[in-house]
Protein backbone atom coordinates (compact mmCIF):
# COMPACT_ATOMS: atom_id res chain seq x y z
CA UNK A 1 0.00 0.00 0.00
CA UNK A 2 1.47 3.43 -0.91
CA UNK A 3 2.42 5.82 1.86
CA UNK A 4 -0.69 7.98 2.48
CA UNK A 5 1.46 11.09 2.73
CA UNK A 6 4.76 11.87 1.02
CA UNK A 7 5.62 14.34 3.79
CA UNK A 8 8.76 13.51 5.78
CA UNK A 9 9.35 13.98 9.49
CA UNK A 10 12.04 16.63 10.07
CA UNK A 11 15.33 15.73 11.74
CA UNK A 12 15.05 14.59 15.36
CA UNK A 13 17.20 17.24 16.96
CA UNK A 14 16.22 20.86 16.51
CA UNK A 15 18.80 22.93 18.36
CA UNK A 16 17.29 25.63 20.55
CA UNK A 17 18.75 28.96 21.47
CA UNK A 18 22.22 28.32 22.85
CA UNK A 19 21.92 31.26 25.27
CA UNK A 20 21.11 29.17 28.36
CA UNK A 21 24.14 27.19 29.59
CA UNK A 22 23.20 23.48 29.60
CA UNK A 23 25.31 21.51 32.09
CA UNK A 24 25.71 17.90 33.10
CA UNK A 25 24.98 17.44 36.81
CA UNK A 26 28.20 17.36 38.84
CA UNK A 27 28.93 18.46 42.42
CA UNK A 28 30.16 21.73 40.97
CA UNK A 29 27.21 22.49 38.67
CA UNK A 30 24.70 21.47 41.36
CA UNK A 31 26.41 23.82 43.81
CA UNK A 32 26.37 26.63 41.25
CA UNK A 33 22.68 25.99 40.52
CA UNK A 34 21.84 26.03 44.25
CA UNK A 35 23.74 29.30 44.69
CA UNK A 36 21.88 30.82 41.74
CA UNK A 37 18.51 29.77 43.24
CA UNK A 38 19.46 31.34 46.57
CA UNK A 39 20.37 34.54 44.69
CA UNK A 40 16.86 34.70 43.18
CA UNK A 41 17.76 33.36 39.73
CA UNK A 42 15.89 30.76 37.66
CA UNK A 43 17.25 27.22 37.16
CA UNK A 44 15.86 24.57 34.83
CA UNK A 45 16.11 21.08 36.30
CA UNK A 46 14.90 17.60 35.36
CA UNK A 47 12.23 15.73 37.27
CA UNK A 48 10.81 12.28 36.57
CA UNK A 49 7.79 13.94 34.88
CA UNK A 50 9.00 16.95 32.85
CA UNK A 51 11.67 19.66 33.19
CA UNK A 52 10.82 22.37 35.72
CA UNK A 53 11.61 26.09 35.71
CA UNK A 54 12.66 26.60 39.33
CA UNK A 55 12.88 29.63 41.61
CA UNK A 56 13.21 30.22 45.36
CA UNK A 57 9.63 29.63 46.59
CA UNK A 58 10.22 31.90 49.59
CA UNK A 59 10.82 34.96 47.41
CA UNK A 60 7.96 36.76 45.69
CA UNK A 61 10.43 38.50 43.42
CA UNK A 62 12.11 35.26 42.32
CA UNK A 63 8.72 33.62 41.68
CA UNK A 64 7.65 36.70 39.68
CA UNK A 65 10.53 35.85 37.33
CA UNK A 66 8.91 32.47 36.57
CA UNK A 67 5.62 34.12 35.63
CA UNK A 68 7.38 36.65 33.40
CA UNK A 69 9.65 34.10 31.70
CA UNK A 70 6.71 31.78 30.89
CA UNK A 71 4.13 34.45 30.10
CA UNK A 72 2.05 32.72 32.76
CA UNK A 73 -1.17 34.44 33.92
CA UNK A 74 -0.76 35.60 37.53
CA UNK A 75 -3.88 33.69 38.59
CA UNK A 76 -2.40 30.26 37.74
CA UNK A 77 -0.57 29.04 40.88
CA UNK A 78 2.69 27.06 40.72
CA UNK A 79 3.81 23.82 42.33
CA UNK A 80 6.33 24.02 45.18
CA UNK A 81 8.93 21.23 45.17
CA UNK A 82 10.34 19.85 48.40
CA UNK A 83 12.64 16.92 49.21
CA UNK A 84 10.67 15.21 51.99
CA UNK A 85 7.31 15.21 53.74
CA UNK A 86 8.98 16.92 56.74
CA UNK A 87 9.78 19.90 54.52
CA UNK A 88 6.02 20.37 53.95
CA UNK A 89 5.24 20.95 57.61
CA UNK A 90 6.23 24.65 57.94
CA UNK A 91 4.55 25.46 54.62
CA UNK A 92 1.10 23.88 54.64
CA UNK A 93 -1.39 21.99 56.77
CA UNK A 94 -0.36 18.37 56.33
CA UNK A 95 -3.65 16.56 56.84
CA UNK A 96 -3.91 12.85 57.64
CA UNK A 97 -4.85 12.10 54.03
CA UNK A 98 -1.85 14.11 52.81
CA UNK A 99 0.47 12.16 55.12
CA UNK A 100 -0.87 8.81 53.91
CA UNK A 101 -0.60 9.77 50.24
CA UNK A 102 2.88 11.28 50.64
CA UNK A 103 4.06 8.12 52.41
CA UNK A 104 2.68 6.00 49.59
CA UNK A 105 3.78 8.10 46.59
CA UNK A 106 6.59 10.55 47.52
CA UNK A 107 9.03 11.06 46.10
CA UNK A 108 6.96 10.68 42.95
CA UNK A 109 4.59 12.20 40.41
CA UNK A 110 1.79 13.24 42.80
CA UNK A 111 1.11 16.90 43.67
CA UNK A 112 -1.03 17.60 46.73
CA UNK A 113 -3.01 20.83 47.06
CA UNK A 114 -3.18 21.72 50.78
CA UNK A 115 -4.28 24.70 52.89
CA UNK A 116 -1.45 27.22 53.36
CA UNK A 117 -0.49 27.77 56.98
CA UNK A 118 -1.33 31.30 58.12
CA UNK A 119 2.36 31.90 58.86
CA UNK A 120 3.66 29.99 55.83
CA UNK A 121 6.92 31.61 54.66
CA UNK A 122 6.05 30.80 51.03
CA UNK A 123 5.78 33.62 48.53
CA UNK A 124 2.13 34.65 48.04
CA UNK A 125 2.60 34.35 44.29
CA UNK A 126 3.00 30.54 44.40
CA UNK A 127 -0.64 30.41 45.52
CA UNK A 128 -1.74 33.02 42.96
CA UNK A 129 -3.34 34.98 45.76
CA UNK A 130 -5.31 31.97 47.09
CA UNK A 131 -5.17 30.17 50.44
CA UNK A 132 -3.85 26.84 49.14
CA UNK A 133 -0.50 25.57 47.98
CA UNK A 134 0.44 22.65 45.71
CA UNK A 135 3.38 20.56 47.00
CA UNK A 136 5.33 17.70 45.51
CA UNK A 137 8.55 15.77 46.17
CA UNK A 138 10.01 14.78 42.77
CA UNK A 139 11.51 11.31 42.28
CA UNK A 140 14.64 12.40 40.45
CA UNK A 141 18.15 12.28 41.90
CA UNK A 142 19.18 15.60 40.29
CA UNK A 143 16.04 17.39 41.50
CA UNK A 144 16.46 16.01 45.02
CA UNK A 145 20.18 16.91 45.11
CA UNK A 146 19.36 20.44 43.97
CA UNK A 147 16.63 20.82 46.61
CA UNK A 148 18.99 19.58 49.30
CA UNK A 149 21.90 21.77 48.15
CA UNK A 150 19.69 24.88 48.01
CA UNK A 151 17.97 24.10 51.32
CA UNK A 152 14.88 25.87 49.98
CA UNK A 153 11.43 24.94 48.70
CA UNK A 154 11.58 25.47 44.93
CA UNK A 155 8.61 26.76 42.93
CA UNK A 156 8.66 25.11 39.52
CA UNK A 157 6.11 24.93 36.77
CA UNK A 158 7.03 23.08 33.60
CA UNK A 159 9.87 24.83 31.73
CA UNK A 160 7.89 26.00 28.70
CA UNK A 161 5.96 29.06 27.56
CA UNK A 162 2.49 29.11 29.17
CA UNK A 163 0.07 26.92 27.22
CA UNK A 164 2.77 25.13 25.21
CA UNK A 165 4.06 21.56 25.41
CA UNK A 166 6.13 20.68 28.48
CA UNK A 167 9.78 19.80 27.78
CA UNK A 168 10.82 16.22 28.44
CA UNK A 169 14.41 16.69 27.18
CA UNK A 170 16.95 19.44 28.01
CA UNK A 171 17.22 20.47 24.36
CA UNK A 172 13.48 21.22 24.21
CA UNK A 173 13.68 23.73 27.07
CA UNK A 174 15.54 26.41 25.20
CA UNK A 175 12.99 26.44 22.38
CA UNK A 176 10.36 28.17 24.50
CA UNK A 177 12.33 30.17 27.05
CA UNK A 178 14.41 32.68 25.15
CA UNK A 179 14.57 35.49 27.69
CA UNK A 180 12.42 37.77 25.52
CA UNK A 181 9.58 38.09 28.05
CA UNK A 182 11.34 37.63 31.39
CA UNK A 183 14.63 36.57 32.92
CA UNK A 184 16.68 33.99 31.03
CA UNK A 185 17.29 30.94 33.26
CA UNK A 186 20.85 30.89 34.62
CA UNK A 187 21.38 27.21 33.77
CA UNK A 188 19.72 24.03 32.50
CA UNK A 189 20.76 20.94 34.42
CA UNK A 190 20.72 18.18 31.82
CA UNK A 191 19.28 14.93 33.13
CA UNK A 192 18.50 13.36 29.75
CA UNK A 193 14.95 12.33 28.81
CA UNK A 194 12.33 12.28 31.59
CA UNK A 195 11.23 8.79 32.69
CA UNK A 196 7.48 9.48 32.98
CA UNK A 197 7.05 12.21 30.35
CA UNK A 198 3.69 13.60 31.58
CA UNK A 199 3.21 16.16 34.35
CA UNK A 200 2.33 14.99 37.86
CA UNK A 201 -1.15 14.04 39.02
CA UNK A 202 -2.63 17.06 40.85
CA UNK A 203 -4.98 16.20 43.72
CA UNK A 204 -6.87 18.87 45.67
CA UNK A 205 -7.10 17.76 49.31
CA UNK A 206 -8.82 20.98 50.46
CA UNK A 207 -12.24 19.69 49.39
CA UNK A 208 -14.35 16.72 50.51
CA UNK A 209 -14.12 14.44 48.66
CA UNK A 210 -10.68 15.30 47.23
CA UNK A 211 -10.72 16.39 43.58
CA UNK A 212 -8.48 15.14 40.80
CA UNK A 213 -7.40 18.38 39.09
CA UNK A 214 -4.99 16.77 36.62
CA UNK A 215 -4.60 13.06 35.84
CA UNK A 216 -1.05 11.71 35.77
CA UNK A 217 1.05 8.63 36.47
CA UNK A 218 -0.38 8.20 39.98
CA UNK A 219 -3.83 7.02 39.01
CA UNK A 220 -7.22 7.72 40.57
CA UNK A 221 -7.45 4.02 41.47
CA UNK A 222 -4.09 4.07 43.25
CA UNK A 223 -5.10 7.18 45.22
CA UNK A 224 -8.50 5.71 46.08
CA UNK A 225 -6.83 2.53 47.33
CA UNK A 226 -4.66 4.51 49.79
CA UNK A 227 -7.49 6.79 50.95
CA UNK A 228 -10.05 3.99 51.19
CA UNK A 229 -12.65 6.09 49.36
CA UNK A 230 -13.27 7.58 45.94
CA UNK A 231 -12.20 10.98 44.66
CA UNK A 232 -14.12 13.48 42.54
CA UNK A 233 -13.37 14.77 39.05
CA UNK A 234 -11.96 18.27 38.83
CA UNK A 235 -14.95 19.63 36.91
CA UNK A 236 -15.24 21.06 33.45
CA UNK A 237 -12.23 22.66 31.81
CA UNK A 238 -12.02 26.44 31.84
CA UNK A 239 -10.19 28.80 29.54
CA UNK A 240 -7.11 30.69 30.58
CA UNK A 241 -7.25 34.48 30.64
CA UNK A 242 -3.75 35.86 30.17
CA UNK A 243 -4.87 39.30 31.37
CA UNK A 244 -6.04 38.02 34.77
CA UNK A 245 -4.36 39.20 37.95
CA UNK A 246 -3.80 37.44 41.27
CA UNK A 247 -7.04 39.02 42.49
CA UNK A 248 -8.99 36.65 40.22
CA UNK A 249 -7.81 33.21 41.36
CA UNK A 250 -8.94 30.42 39.05
CA UNK A 251 -11.93 28.51 40.45
CA UNK A 252 -10.03 25.28 39.74
CA UNK A 253 -6.55 26.14 38.55
CA UNK A 254 -5.69 22.64 37.33
CA UNK A 255 -8.40 22.79 34.71
CA UNK A 256 -7.36 24.78 31.70
CA UNK A 257 -9.08 23.85 28.44
CA UNK A 258 -6.46 24.74 25.82
CA UNK A 259 -3.04 23.78 27.15
CA UNK A 260 -0.09 21.51 26.37
CA UNK A 261 -0.64 22.59 22.79
CA UNK A 262 1.68 22.53 19.78
CA UNK A 263 1.47 25.49 17.37
CA UNK A 264 -0.26 23.38 14.73
CA UNK A 265 -3.90 22.30 15.13
CA UNK A 266 -4.41 18.79 16.51
CA UNK A 267 -7.06 16.31 15.32
CA UNK A 268 -7.86 13.32 17.55
CA UNK A 269 -8.92 9.72 16.93
CA UNK A 270 -7.51 9.78 13.40
CA UNK A 271 -6.99 6.61 11.40
CA UNK A 272 -5.18 8.20 8.44
CA UNK A 273 -3.42 11.47 7.61
CA UNK A 274 -5.29 14.02 5.54
CA UNK A 275 -3.50 16.38 3.17
CA UNK A 276 -0.75 18.33 4.99
CA UNK A 277 -1.20 16.38 8.23
CA UNK A 278 1.39 14.48 10.21
CA UNK A 279 0.02 11.23 11.64
CA UNK A 280 1.07 10.30 15.19
CA UNK A 281 0.28 6.63 15.61
CA UNK A 282 -0.12 4.18 18.46
CA UNK A 283 0.45 0.42 18.49
CA UNK A 284 1.42 0.17 14.83
CA UNK A 285 -1.06 2.55 13.12
CA UNK A 286 -0.48 2.03 9.37
CA UNK A 287 1.11 5.02 7.60
CA UNK A 288 2.02 6.83 10.85
CA UNK A 289 4.90 9.31 10.58
CA UNK A 290 5.86 8.52 14.18
CA UNK A 291 4.41 5.92 16.57
CA UNK A 292 4.00 6.66 20.30
CA UNK A 293 4.58 2.99 21.05
CA UNK A 294 4.70 0.41 18.26
CA UNK A 295 4.04 -2.33 20.84
CA UNK A 296 1.10 -0.48 22.41
CA UNK A 297 2.84 0.20 25.74
CA UNK A 298 1.19 3.18 27.49
CA UNK A 299 4.28 3.97 29.63
CA UNK A 300 6.36 4.26 26.47
CA UNK A 301 3.63 6.34 24.80
CA UNK A 302 3.58 8.79 27.74
CA UNK A 303 7.38 9.12 27.59
CA UNK A 304 7.28 9.87 23.86
CA UNK A 305 4.14 12.03 23.66
CA UNK A 306 5.54 15.56 24.07
CA UNK A 307 8.82 15.02 22.20
CA UNK A 308 6.95 13.47 19.25
CA UNK A 309 4.33 16.24 19.17
CA UNK A 310 7.23 18.71 19.03
CA UNK A 311 8.88 16.87 16.14
CA UNK A 312 5.67 16.86 14.13
CA UNK A 313 4.93 20.52 14.98
CA UNK A 314 7.18 21.68 12.15
CA UNK A 315 7.16 22.18 8.38
CA UNK A 316 6.22 20.54 6.07
CA UNK A 317 3.26 19.62 8.28
CA UNK A 318 0.32 21.99 8.70
CA UNK A 319 -1.60 19.94 11.28
CA UNK A 320 -1.14 16.90 13.51
CA UNK A 321 -3.55 13.95 13.50
CA UNK A 322 -3.32 11.52 16.41
CA UNK A 323 -4.48 7.90 16.40
CA UNK A 324 -6.73 6.70 19.27
CA UNK A 325 -4.95 5.80 22.51
CA UNK A 326 -6.84 3.57 24.99
CA UNK A 327 -8.17 5.58 27.96
CA UNK A 328 -7.13 3.12 30.64
CA UNK A 329 -4.41 3.49 33.30
CA UNK A 330 -1.83 6.04 32.12
CA UNK A 331 -3.86 6.33 28.90
CA UNK A 332 -6.29 8.58 30.81
CA UNK A 333 -3.55 11.15 31.39
CA UNK A 334 -2.35 10.82 27.78
CA UNK A 335 -5.90 11.45 26.51
CA UNK A 336 -6.29 14.39 28.93
CA UNK A 337 -3.20 16.09 27.45
CA UNK A 338 -4.27 15.23 23.89
CA UNK A 339 -7.75 16.67 24.35
CA UNK A 340 -6.26 19.92 25.71
CA UNK A 341 -3.80 20.03 22.81
CA UNK A 342 -6.79 19.72 20.45
CA UNK A 343 -9.09 22.14 22.34
CA UNK A 344 -10.24 25.30 20.56
CA UNK A 345 -7.82 28.11 21.32
CA UNK A 346 -9.36 31.45 22.14
CA UNK A 347 -7.47 34.23 20.31
CA UNK A 348 -6.19 35.62 23.62
CA UNK A 349 -4.38 32.37 24.50
CA UNK A 350 -2.85 31.82 21.08
CA UNK A 351 0.89 31.91 21.19
CA UNK A 352 2.93 33.66 18.56
O1 LIG B 1 5.08 17.24 36.96
C1 LIG B 1 4.86 18.39 37.31
O2 LIG B 1 3.95 18.69 38.07
C2 LIG B 1 5.79 19.49 36.75
C3 LIG B 1 7.18 19.27 37.31
C4 LIG B 1 8.15 20.39 36.95
O3 LIG B 1 7.11 19.09 38.69
N1 LIG B 1 5.27 20.78 37.06
C5 LIG B 1 4.16 21.27 36.45
O4 LIG B 1 3.82 22.53 36.87
O5 LIG B 1 3.53 20.67 35.62
P1 LIG B 1 2.75 23.44 36.10
O6 LIG B 1 2.80 24.76 36.78
O7 LIG B 1 3.05 23.45 34.66
O8 LIG B 1 1.41 22.76 36.44
C6 LIG B 1 0.90 22.87 37.76
C7 LIG B 1 -0.56 22.61 37.78
C8 LIG B 1 -1.31 23.72 37.08
O9 LIG B 1 -2.39 23.14 36.38
C9 LIG B 1 -1.79 24.58 38.23
O10 LIG B 1 -2.96 25.25 37.90
C10 LIG B 1 -1.99 23.54 39.33
O11 LIG B 1 -0.97 22.59 39.14
N2 LIG B 1 -1.83 24.14 40.65
C11 LIG B 1 -0.74 24.68 41.20
N3 LIG B 1 -1.00 25.19 42.43
C12 LIG B 1 -2.30 24.94 42.67
C13 LIG B 1 -3.18 25.23 43.75
N4 LIG B 1 -2.77 25.87 44.84
N5 LIG B 1 -4.45 24.84 43.63
C14 LIG B 1 -4.87 24.17 42.54
N6 LIG B 1 -4.09 23.88 41.47
C15 LIG B 1 -2.83 24.26 41.53
MG1 LIG C 1 2.82 23.41 32.67
Amino acid sequence: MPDPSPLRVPAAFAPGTPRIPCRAPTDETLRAAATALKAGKLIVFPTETVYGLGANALSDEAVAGIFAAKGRPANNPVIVHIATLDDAKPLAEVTGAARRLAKAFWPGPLTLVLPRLADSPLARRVSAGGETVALRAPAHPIALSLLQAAGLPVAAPSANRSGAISPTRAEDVALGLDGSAGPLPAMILNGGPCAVGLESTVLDLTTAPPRLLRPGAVTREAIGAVLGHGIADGGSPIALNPGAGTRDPLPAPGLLSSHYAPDRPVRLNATAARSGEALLGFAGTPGAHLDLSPSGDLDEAARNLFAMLRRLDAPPFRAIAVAPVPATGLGLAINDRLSRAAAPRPPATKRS
Side-chain angles (χ1 to χ4, degrees):
M1 200 174 106
D3 184 346
S5 163
L7 302 177
R8 290 267 176 79
V9 180
F13 179 71
T17 147
R19 293 176 58 210
I20 315 175
C22 186
R23 301 278 182 259
T26 61
D27 285 350
E28 195 188 331
T29 54
L30 279 165
R31 227 182 355 256
T35 304
L37 281 177
K38 285 191 264 194
K41 303 217 169 91
L42 305 183
I43 293 291
V44 177
F45 62 96
T47 79
E48 79 282 29
T49 58
V50 299
Y51 277 76
L53 176 64
N56 176 357
L58 304 179
S59 160
D60 247 313
E61 206 185 326
V63 176
I66 293 179
F67 282 85
K70 282 182 61 94
R72 186 178 179 101
N75 66 348
N76 192 10
V78 297
I79 297 175
V80 174
H81 295 68
I82 51 180
T84 66
L85 178 57
D86 278 345
D87 297 340
K89 290 178 184 156
L91 311 178
E93 191 185 320
V94 180
T95 59
R99 202 170 309 114
R100 286 203 300 283
L101 289 167
K103 285 203 167 122
F105 300 113
W106 283 4
L110 175 66
T111 295
L112 300 175
V113 176
L114 300 171
R116 275 177 77 108
L117 289 179
D119 59 354
S120 174
L122 288 173
R124 298 288 333 171
R125 266 179 219 274
V126 300
S127 302
E131 295 308 320
T132 63
V133 62
L135 297 178
R136 122 170 164 92
H140 195 294
I142 300 174
L144 290 171
S145 300
L146 179 65
L147 287 166
Q148 266 142 11
L152 292 168
V154 172
S158 49
N160 51 273
R161 294 280 302 162
S162 180
I165 303 175
S166 301
T168 52
R169 308 175 306 170
E171 57 265 39
D172 290 339
V173 170
L175 301 176
L177 300 176
D178 58 7
S180 58
L184 195 68
M187 190 194 298
I188 301 172
L189 284 167
N190 190 349
C194 299
V196 175
L198 294 180
E199 306 83 352
S200 61
T201 304
V202 180
L203 182 70
D204 185 352
L205 285 176
T206 68
T207 59
R211 284 184 313 161
L212 185 67
L213 296 183
R214 181 172 73 183
V218 175
T219 60
R220 159 195 293 276
E221 292 73 25
I223 292 168
V226 170
L227 291 179
H229 58 75
I231 57 177
D233 272 325
S236 35
I238 50 175
L240 194 61
N241 172 9
T246 50
R247 285 171 187 282
D248 324 300
L250 293 173
L255 306 169
L256 302 172
S257 51
S258 174
H259 215 69
Y260 314 109
D263 285 338
R264 281 159 184 69
V266 174
R267 184 169 67 87
L268 301 182
N269 297 318
T271 47
R274 296 177 185 158
S275 168
E277 277 183 345
L279 181 60
L280 181 56
F282 177 76
T285 311
H289 292 91
L290 292 174
D291 196 312
L292 289 168
S293 170
S295 67
D297 174 353
L298 289 169
D299 289 346
E300 182 184 24
R303 256 192 319 272
N304 284 333
L305 179 66
F306 290 146
M308 288 190 172
L309 282 174
R310 277 175 194 270
R311 271 185 74 191
L312 299 179
D313 192 19
F317 301 117
R318 294 195 305 274
I320 305 172
V322 188
V325 175
T328 53
L330 195 49
L332 272 178
I334 295 174
N335 278 287
D336 168 78
R337 303 310 188 272
L338 283 172
S339 64
R340 293 177 207 229
R345 303 173 201 177
T349 67
K350 271 201 185 129
R351 287 156 296 110
S352 54

